[in-house]
Amino acid sequence: MPPSIKSVALIGSYPPRQCGIATFTSDLATTIVDNDPNIDCIITAMNDRREGYVYPSAVKFQISQEKLNEYHLAAAFLNLRNPDVVCLQHEYGIFGGQRGSFIAELAKNLKSPLITTLHTVLKDPQPEERKIINQLSELSNRLVVMSDRGVDFLRNIYQVPASKIALIHHGVPDVPFLDPDPCKNKVAAADKTVILTFGLLSPGKGIEFMIDALPDIVRSHPEVLYFVVGATHPHCKAESGEDYRLSLHRRAKELGVGDNIVFHDRFLERDELIEIIRAADIYVTPYLSEAQVVSGTLAYAVGAGKAIVSTPYWHAQEMLADGRGRLVPFKDSAALSQEINRLLDFPRERLEMRRAAYEYGRPMVIKAMGRHYLSLFAESKAQSALTGKLPALDTLNQREQRLPQIELAHLRRMTDHTGVFQHAKFTVPNRAFGYCVDDNARALIVSARAHDLDRTDTSLTEMSSIYLSFLDDAFDPETGRFRNFMSYERKWLESIGSEDSHGRALWALGVMAGWGRNPGQVSLAVKLFHDALPALTSFSDSRAIAFPMLGLQAYLRRYDNDHEVRELLVSLGHRLLNRFRQYASKDWQWHEVMLTYDNARLPEALLACGRVSNDEQMVATGLRVLEWLRDIQIDASGGWFAPVGNQGWYPETGSKAQYDQQPLEAAAMIGACIEAYECTQHEDWLQLALACFNWFLGKNDQRICLYDHASGGCRDGLMRDGVNENQGAESTLSYLMSLIAIYNIRGLTGENLGPAKPRLRDKLSEPPEMQVQLRRRLEPGQQIGN
């Protein structure tokens, strides 16, 4: 007999937050206790806004979704509470990191058995989305899905074993089968025929097509009243206000059906929502895409025995089969009006449909859902007990390194309405040196990528606007080039900037084009990006080729069908590759006579281009060059990063300068190592990236921390006699680019990122067999280009 459950911890959004996951988590918590009042059910709630919410007492811990360290704290809290089981509600959008990857950081640190409920299962996942589900599959005792389609996707797309998958349908309120007419007085719809759509409002719901269908419906049934119930989705409202709702208002008035439509612009509590559902004669979901594996609103309507007309998204195909509803094509107002009119014309047919839906929904009532979950919890507890394993001690060697929070205070201090200042005196901006394109390009990369990680911080949009505006002003359409240096008085100090600065500007514009959140900023970035591309054909400096290659790769993330840009990336990649082929040798794997600055950005560009174009030789060359840079910049005795110093650099016929070591070099190595991981999936590259990041935190030749936790800035360099205490833009932005890059791979890897391993060099020199041609490596001793 399965052991009894005494305590359960739920992780998810929770009321008063307004979203479907919050409602589901609340329903699950309520039914657990309804089924067994002796169970202690505690909630860890996800916050999507900085001020959080005023939660009920059941919420014992809160996580700000964009703060990585709070996921670790939540795991520690839950381990102290030691519940019999933890049940995670997974939806990509409610967690921080790349596509919600931070949640894996919590999951892999839990000691209790984990059950994960998947509210979204994608048919065509991006690589990071697939990794997250596969990670959760490995970390969870069971994955719960709410539809047969979800089961099929997990088995056939994600290769999750059938034994790990449980099907538990979305819970529905336990309501009697009632005729709608007696319920209409409560919603001021007596003598009306009520059509209903409810749920958080956003453009993907397709309400405009139902409004377009109303004139034909009203002509046959003038008593029709269409209820659109629900607040605008908070994230939609934050980005575009009430534009969508207001467009629906205008559409209804223009079509002459303003008197036949009612908008309830608020999030209804369950009792009030149930009253409106009871009053509905027909429920409609005119969604625009098939890619919805579960719909809580549809489940509620089926459970209440409503006559339903819907577009054929995945959950609707399953729920409305066998006469339980009618499906119409996507974006087809005529089909909507035809099916709705038919149901209104034939009430007996409508009644039969309602009964079929109601009977189908009876096993899905919320209390029954709770029993299924409790049974699954008991099985998981028993399974964990059978393993006979005690929870592992959380020793320092086992604990994953905690990263600093992303702190932009010093960057904000260094930024005025014009742009970011180049230099600082200690922590104070130095106005004497003004501004430059190089640093404003770096700042644009930081603000764009930080905003992608923390979409709740709207101030990042303002910062991006400042840096993008600076690049826009720097570009001279007559020359097709960027100017670089501007005085504090806002006067350009040159007519044409360096090739390097032009390349960095293109890199930043590509990042904004590929990762930006604000449509206006993305549009300007795309325009500037294309305007500045022609100049690349005449560039001779290798870094001025490599920097824009990184921008081209980022641009293609969003504009994958731009074949001209793709061809340009490949062309630049071969130009850079040929330089290594022409100069590099077995002992000097470089493209010229001296190693200077931003060195690792060159192999990073080769790797990025090779990955995009499936060029095996380019990837192999990039890996080999990066391994060579690793070998000469990782201290042999302690395993820390010791970059080429700028007091003499590293000539081919001389020795490597130890000082001054620049933050720019650590950032470049981190970016290249992460790109190497993307190409090979070899996680020791991530260990090397972390070793390079720890250079900022004091694991370096001087054992001095360059990052200033008090200011949020980074000191300008490591010198023979200490550190340069000035915290200028280049150093601070290099640190922030590095930290954001590390954040972006947290949760997407299979093992903890701890300190660099003692035999890091050996392990990277002898990689395991790769499964695809793209991941092949050159044999030891083979020269580049062979």
Side-chain angles (χ1 to χ4, degrees), residues 2-3 5 84-86 112-116 140-144 163-164 166 372-387:
I5 296 295
D84 290 326
V85 69
V86 177
S112 298
L114 177 65
I115 302 293
T116 298
S140 303
N141 287 52
R142 300 289 284 276
L143 297 181
V144 177
S163 60
K164 270 219 167 183
H372 291 309
Y373 269 96
L374 286 173
S375 176
L376 192 61
F377 295 165
E379 289 177 16
S380 295
K381 181 180 178 181
Q383 180 183 349
S384 296
L386 285 173
T387 63

Side-chain angles (χ1 to χ4, degrees), residues 69 93 135 188 227 232 287 336 342 346 363 441 522 532 684 689 704 731:
N69 284 358
Q135 279 255 74
F227 278 71
T232 299
Y287 299 165
L336 274 169
R342 177 177 176 83
F346 297 96
V522 170
D684 276 336
I704 299 175
S731 56

